Amino acid sequence: MAVVGFVGVGRMGGPMASRLLDAGYELCIYDVSPEAMKPFAERGAQIAASPAEVASQAKIVLISLPTPDIVREVALGGNAGLINGSSVKLVIDLSTTGPGVAAEVAGKLAQRRIGWVDSPVSGGVTGAKAGTLAVMVSCPKKVYGEIEPMMKTFGKLFFAGEKPGMAQTAKLANNLLAAAAMVATSEVMAMGVKAGLDAKVLIDIINASSGRNSATQDKFPRAILPRTFDFGFATGLSYKDVRLCVEEAEAMGVPMVVGGAVREMLAITRARFGADSDFTHIAKVLEEWAGVEIKG
Ligand code: NAD
């Protein structure tokens, strides 16, 4: 099989790249963190010194990077950018970067006859490891047909449209909702515990009732009640997603009252616990305000 490039092998990119290796793809990897690349070198993947070097080895390059600025830099930046690779024909962005940067980078790559696919994913590190992610794709239909078998390695595919950024808009909508669920669940859990309810009992009640959501079903039982706060998604990244979503909505004249409040809660969590903290620390902010511990 032809070599596939992969730039950014962090919490999400790492397990996704690993699944490609398991499926028999040959990989060429680049990450600014040598630590992140080490397991891939041990498994026989080629290790490159820059995104451009990856793009000189592989026709298809996948990227999984933290922010829109880093995606822009890796794709277009100076001599080291993917755009300067001699082989690359297609870049697939698995990051959550918003429709703005997708359209901008897609346009610049198109001038060099390099295609662009937005493919943000949902389902967290667990889904990335298990190959059960929701994979949202926007790109020309013909390209979709070509990449579908490889992308199925990551999970279930959803074709969101041909225009660059469509899948990113879908992803932002989902992530704002997931963050809103974290914030609202943290509020009611802090209130319930302060009133004397057992946190585990309250979560069980909600999960059997109409208030259940992704925070009550997954994040609270897995990372907050056991006090591990290690869900695997950084506060800074969640803040970025919600900010991008609210900004997109504002630009389209769609007011987001709840979205604005969720963004501020993430800004508070980031200020209190740092951008690298796990985003389940939202619950810790509420715990501090309420003077309780949500454990069970
Ligand atoms: P991460 O920080 O764990 O991984 C990012 C990787 O990119 C790191 O290994 C980092 O060293 C590398 N990197 C940073 N700058 C680089 C550069 N200039 N060149 C090459 N490599 C560089 O982040 P993550 O949680 O894996 O998230 C990656 C993307 O996936 C983000 O856009 C995030 O919003 C999205 N996402 C994350 C989750 C999750 O649950 N963690 C779920 C869905 C989507």
Side-chain angles (χ1 to χ4, degrees):
M1 251 189 257
V3 176
V4 172
F6 211 115
V7 180
V9 283
R11 289 184 193 91
M12 292 297 286
M16 292 171 89
S18 196
R19 287 190 64 82
L20 288 177
L21 278 180
D22 293 344
Y25 290 90
E26 213 180 297
L27 290 190
C28 179
I29 304 273
Y30 175 71
D31 193 297
V32 281
S33 155
E35 201 55 35
M37 291 193 287
K38 215 168 134 202
F40 291 96
E42 284 163 7
R43 289 190 64 190
Q46 295 178 42
I47 302 298
S50 68
E53 204 176 299
V54 173
S56 293
Q57 296 296 321
K59 275 190 180 168
I60 297 181
V61 178
L62 298 123
I63 60 179
S64 176
L65 297 161
T67 63
D69 287 347
I70 294 177
V71 166
R72 191 183 289 112
E73 176 66 24
V74 163
L76 310 172
N79 292 334
L82 295 171
I83 196 166
N84 290 306
S86 55
S87 299
V88 63
K89 293 280 172 285
L90 191 67
V91 178
I92 304 176
D93 184 14
L94 304 162
S95 336
T96 309
T97 48
V101 74
E104 177 197 332
V105 176
K108 295 211 167 117
L109 292 179
Q111 291 168 9
R112 301 271 189 102
R113 298 182 176 279
I114 302 168
W116 174 264
V117 176
D118 313 304
S119 186
V121 298
S122 181
V125 176
T126 312
K129 284 183 181 158
T132 56
L133 294 169
V135 184
M136 304 155 226
V137 186
S138 41
C139 63
K141 262 264 160 73
K142 184 174 169 289
V143 176
Y144 182 76
E146 288 163 11
I147 62 171
E148 198 178 5
M150 179 182 74
M151 300 298 282
K152 277 187 171 163
T153 313
F154 304 137
K156 186 170 177 192
L157 268 57
F158 295 87
F159 182 70
E162 295 214 345
K163 207 173 97 188
M166 299 284 276
Q168 289 289 346
T169 301
K171 168 68 179 165
L172 293 185
N174 174 76
N175 277 31
L176 187 138
L177 269 184
M182 260 304 300
V183 171
T185 304
S186 299
E187 290 183 354
V188 300
M189 289 303 293
M191 177 200 70
V193 170
K194 189 147 196 175
L197 280 162
D198 180 87
K200 166 97 174 47
V201 170
L202 182 51
I203 282 288
D204 288 346
I205 290 170
I206 296 172
N207 280 336
S209 308
S210 51
R212 67 182 170 276
N213 61 66
S214 58
T216 60
Q217 291 180 309
D218 190 12
K219 283 141 199 156
F220 272 72
R222 183 133 67 87
I224 295 163
L225 299 191
R227 314 299 297 163
T228 50
F229 296 93
D230 61 351
F231 181 73
F233 187 39
T235 301
L237 294 186
S238 180
Y239 173 73
K240 169 217 47 169
D241 294 347
V242 174
R243 180 178 59 76
L244 285 170
C245 188
V246 173
E247 284 173 5
E248 283 302 321
E250 265 166 12
M252 288 184 277
V254 180
M256 279 196 170
V257 178
V258 174
V262 174
R263 177 179 59 186
E264 288 317 298
M265 277 305 296
L266 277 153
I268 290 166
T269 308
R270 192 177 64 154
R272 172 68 184 86
F273 293 104
D276 290 335
S277 65
D278 194 81
F279 96 133
T280 48
H281 279 75
I282 292 169
K284 280 206 172 180
V285 171
L286 266 300
E287 287 182 341
E288 288 184 357
W289 289 350
V292 296
E293 220 174 59
I294 304 167
K295 63 179 176 207

Short mmCIF file of all heavy atoms in Angstrom, two decimals, residues 229 235-236 265-289:
data_model
loop_
_atom_site.label_atom_id
_atom_site.label_comp_id
_atom_site.label_asym_id
_atom_site.label_seq_id
_atom_site.Cartn_x
_atom_site.Cartn_y
_atom_site.Cartn_z
N PHE A 229 -10.51 13.11 36.76
CA PHE A 229 -10.44 14.27 35.87
C PHE A 229 -9.49 14.02 34.70
O PHE A 229 -8.59 14.81 34.42
CB PHE A 229 -10.06 15.53 36.66
CG PHE A 229 -11.10 15.89 37.68
CD1 PHE A 229 -11.00 15.42 38.99
CD2 PHE A 229 -12.21 16.65 37.33
CE1 PHE A 229 -12.00 15.71 39.93
CE2 PHE A 229 -13.21 16.94 38.26
CZ PHE A 229 -13.10 16.48 39.56
N THR A 235 -9.11 21.59 28.31
CA THR A 235 -9.97 22.77 28.48
C THR A 235 -9.73 23.79 27.36
O THR A 235 -10.68 24.35 26.82
CB THR A 235 -9.67 23.43 29.85
OG1 THR A 235 -9.92 22.47 30.88
CG2 THR A 235 -10.52 24.66 30.09
N GLY A 236 -8.44 24.00 27.02
CA GLY A 236 -8.11 24.98 25.99
C GLY A 236 -8.74 24.61 24.64
O GLY A 236 -9.17 25.49 23.88
N MET A 265 -17.90 30.11 30.71
CA MET A 265 -17.57 29.08 31.72
C MET A 265 -16.26 28.39 31.36
O MET A 265 -15.46 28.06 32.24
CB MET A 265 -18.71 28.06 31.82
CG MET A 265 -19.85 28.48 32.71
SD MET A 265 -19.33 28.92 34.38
CE MET A 265 -18.71 27.36 34.98
N LEU A 266 -16.04 28.18 30.06
CA LEU A 266 -14.77 27.56 29.67
C LEU A 266 -13.62 28.53 29.85
O LEU A 266 -12.51 28.13 30.23
CB LEU A 266 -14.86 27.06 28.22
CG LEU A 266 -15.52 25.68 28.21
CD1 LEU A 266 -16.21 25.39 26.91
CD2 LEU A 266 -14.47 24.60 28.51
N ALA A 267 -13.87 29.83 29.61
CA ALA A 267 -12.82 30.83 29.84
C ALA A 267 -12.45 30.87 31.32
O ALA A 267 -11.27 30.95 31.69
CB ALA A 267 -13.30 32.20 29.37
N ILE A 268 -13.45 30.75 32.19
CA ILE A 268 -13.20 30.74 33.65
C ILE A 268 -12.41 29.48 34.03
O ILE A 268 -11.43 29.55 34.78
CB ILE A 268 -14.55 30.81 34.41
CG1 ILE A 268 -15.18 32.19 34.24
CG2 ILE A 268 -14.37 30.46 35.89
CD1 ILE A 268 -16.65 32.29 34.64
N THR A 269 -12.80 28.34 33.47
CA THR A 269 -12.11 27.08 33.79
C THR A 269 -10.65 27.14 33.32
O THR A 269 -9.73 26.72 34.03
CB THR A 269 -12.83 25.88 33.10
OG1 THR A 269 -14.22 25.93 33.44
CG2 THR A 269 -12.24 24.56 33.54
N ARG A 270 -10.45 27.73 32.15
CA ARG A 270 -9.09 27.86 31.61
C ARG A 270 -8.25 28.80 32.48
O ARG A 270 -7.08 28.53 32.78
CB ARG A 270 -9.16 28.38 30.17
CG ARG A 270 -7.85 28.28 29.43
CD ARG A 270 -8.00 28.74 28.01
NE ARG A 270 -8.34 30.16 27.93
CZ ARG A 270 -8.06 30.95 26.91
NH1 ARG A 270 -7.44 30.46 25.87
NH2 ARG A 270 -8.41 32.21 26.91
N ALA A 271 -8.86 29.91 32.93
CA ALA A 271 -8.13 30.86 33.77
C ALA A 271 -7.78 30.22 35.12
O ALA A 271 -6.70 30.45 35.66
CB ALA A 271 -8.98 32.11 33.99
N ARG A 272 -8.69 29.39 35.63
CA ARG A 272 -8.48 28.81 36.97
C ARG A 272 -7.54 27.61 36.92
O ARG A 272 -6.68 27.45 37.78
CB ARG A 272 -9.86 28.40 37.54
CG ARG A 272 -9.82 27.61 38.83
CD ARG A 272 -9.32 28.46 40.00
NE ARG A 272 -9.21 27.66 41.21
CZ ARG A 272 -8.14 26.93 41.52
NH1 ARG A 272 -7.09 26.92 40.72
NH2 ARG A 272 -8.11 26.23 42.64
N PHE A 273 -7.70 26.72 35.92
CA PHE A 273 -6.95 25.45 35.93
C PHE A 273 -5.95 25.31 34.77
O PHE A 273 -5.22 24.33 34.70
CB PHE A 273 -7.92 24.26 35.92
CG PHE A 273 -8.74 24.16 37.17
CD1 PHE A 273 -10.07 24.54 37.20
CD2 PHE A 273 -8.16 23.71 38.35
CE1 PHE A 273 -10.81 24.46 38.37
CE2 PHE A 273 -8.90 23.63 39.53
CZ PHE A 273 -10.23 24.00 39.54
N GLY A 274 -5.95 26.26 33.84
CA GLY A 274 -4.99 26.21 32.74
C GLY A 274 -5.55 25.53 31.50
O GLY A 274 -6.43 24.67 31.59
N ALA A 275 -5.01 25.93 30.34
CA ALA A 275 -5.50 25.40 29.05
C ALA A 275 -5.26 23.91 28.91
O ALA A 275 -6.01 23.21 28.23
CB ALA A 275 -4.83 26.14 27.90
N ASP A 276 -4.22 23.38 29.57
CA ASP A 276 -3.90 21.95 29.43
C ASP A 276 -4.69 21.06 30.38
O ASP A 276 -4.61 19.84 30.28
CB ASP A 276 -2.40 21.72 29.67
CG ASP A 276 -1.58 22.30 28.54
OD1 ASP A 276 -2.12 22.43 27.43
OD2 ASP A 276 -0.40 22.64 28.78
N SER A 277 -5.42 21.68 31.31
CA SER A 277 -6.21 20.85 32.24
C SER A 277 -7.27 20.09 31.44
O SER A 277 -7.68 20.52 30.37
CB SER A 277 -6.89 21.73 33.29
OG SER A 277 -7.86 22.59 32.69
N ASP A 278 -7.71 18.96 31.98
CA ASP A 278 -8.79 18.21 31.34
C ASP A 278 -10.08 19.02 31.47
O ASP A 278 -10.34 19.64 32.50
CB ASP A 278 -8.95 16.86 32.04
CG ASP A 278 -9.80 15.91 31.23
OD1 ASP A 278 -9.26 15.29 30.30
OD2 ASP A 278 -11.01 15.81 31.52
N PHE A 279 -10.92 19.01 30.43
CA PHE A 279 -12.08 19.91 30.47
C PHE A 279 -13.15 19.49 31.48
O PHE A 279 -14.06 20.25 31.75
CB PHE A 279 -12.62 20.19 29.06
CG PHE A 279 -13.78 19.34 28.59
CD1 PHE A 279 -14.88 19.93 27.99
CD2 PHE A 279 -13.75 17.97 28.70
CE1 PHE A 279 -15.93 19.18 27.53
CE2 PHE A 279 -14.81 17.20 28.24
CZ PHE A 279 -15.91 17.81 27.66
N THR A 280 -12.98 18.29 32.08
CA THR A 280 -13.88 17.92 33.18
C THR A 280 -13.65 18.82 34.41
O THR A 280 -14.44 18.78 35.36
CB THR A 280 -13.70 16.44 33.57
OG1 THR A 280 -12.30 16.17 33.70
CG2 THR A 280 -14.27 15.52 32.49
N HIS A 281 -12.58 19.65 34.38
CA HIS A 281 -12.36 20.63 35.46
C HIS A 281 -13.46 21.68 35.53
O HIS A 281 -13.55 22.42 36.51
CB HIS A 281 -10.99 21.30 35.32
CG HIS A 281 -9.87 20.46 35.85
ND1 HIS A 281 -9.40 19.36 35.18
CD2 HIS A 281 -9.16 20.53 37.00
CE1 HIS A 281 -8.43 18.80 35.89
NE2 HIS A 281 -8.27 19.49 37.00
N ILE A 282 -14.31 21.76 34.50
CA ILE A 282 -15.49 22.63 34.59
C ILE A 282 -16.24 22.30 35.89
O ILE A 282 -16.70 23.19 36.61
CB ILE A 282 -16.43 22.39 33.37
CG1 ILE A 282 -15.77 22.89 32.09
CG2 ILE A 282 -17.79 23.07 33.58
CD1 ILE A 282 -16.50 22.47 30.81
N ALA A 283 -16.35 21.02 36.20
CA ALA A 283 -17.07 20.61 37.42
C ALA A 283 -16.37 21.13 38.67
O ALA A 283 -17.03 21.47 39.66
CB ALA A 283 -17.19 19.08 37.47
N LYS A 284 -15.03 21.21 38.62
CA LYS A 284 -14.28 21.70 39.79
C LYS A 284 -14.58 23.18 40.06
O LYS A 284 -14.57 23.62 41.20
CB LYS A 284 -12.77 21.49 39.59
CG LYS A 284 -12.33 20.08 39.86
CD LYS A 284 -10.85 20.04 40.27
CE LYS A 284 -10.51 18.62 40.71
NZ LYS A 284 -9.14 18.46 41.12
N VAL A 285 -14.79 23.94 38.98
CA VAL A 285 -15.15 25.36 39.16
C VAL A 285 -16.44 25.45 39.95
O VAL A 285 -16.54 26.19 40.94
CB VAL A 285 -15.30 26.07 37.79
CG1 VAL A 285 -15.88 27.46 37.96
CG2 VAL A 285 -13.96 26.12 37.06
N LEU A 286 -17.43 24.65 39.56
CA LEU A 286 -18.72 24.66 40.27
C LEU A 286 -18.56 24.16 41.69
O LEU A 286 -19.20 24.67 42.61
CB LEU A 286 -19.73 23.81 39.49
CG LEU A 286 -20.63 24.57 38.51
CD1 LEU A 286 -21.46 25.63 39.23
CD2 LEU A 286 -19.85 25.25 37.40
N GLU A 287 -17.70 23.16 41.87
CA GLU A 287 -17.45 22.64 43.23
C GLU A 287 -16.91 23.75 44.12
O GLU A 287 -17.35 23.91 45.26
CB GLU A 287 -16.44 21.49 43.18
CG GLU A 287 -16.98 20.20 42.60
CD GLU A 287 -15.94 19.08 42.64
OE1 GLU A 287 -14.73 19.38 42.77
OE2 GLU A 287 -16.33 17.91 42.54
N GLU A 288 -15.97 24.53 43.57
CA GLU A 288 -15.38 25.61 44.38
C GLU A 288 -16.43 26.66 44.71
O GLU A 288 -16.49 27.17 45.82
CB GLU A 288 -14.20 26.23 43.62
CG GLU A 288 -12.99 25.30 43.60
CD GLU A 288 -11.75 25.91 42.94
OE1 GLU A 288 -11.83 27.05 42.43
OE2 GLU A 288 -10.72 25.24 42.93
N TRP A 289 -17.25 26.99 43.74
CA TRP A 289 -18.28 28.00 43.98
C TRP A 289 -19.30 27.52 45.01
O TRP A 289 -19.78 28.29 45.83
CB TRP A 289 -19.00 28.36 42.67
CG TRP A 289 -18.14 29.15 41.72
CD1 TRP A 289 -16.93 29.71 41.96
CD2 TRP A 289 -18.45 29.47 40.35
NE1 TRP A 289 -16.45 30.35 40.84
CE2 TRP A 289 -17.37 30.21 39.83
CE3 TRP A 289 -19.52 29.19 39.50
CZ2 TRP A 289 -17.32 30.70 38.53
CZ3 TRP A 289 -19.48 29.67 38.19
CH2 TRP A 289 -18.40 30.42 37.71
#
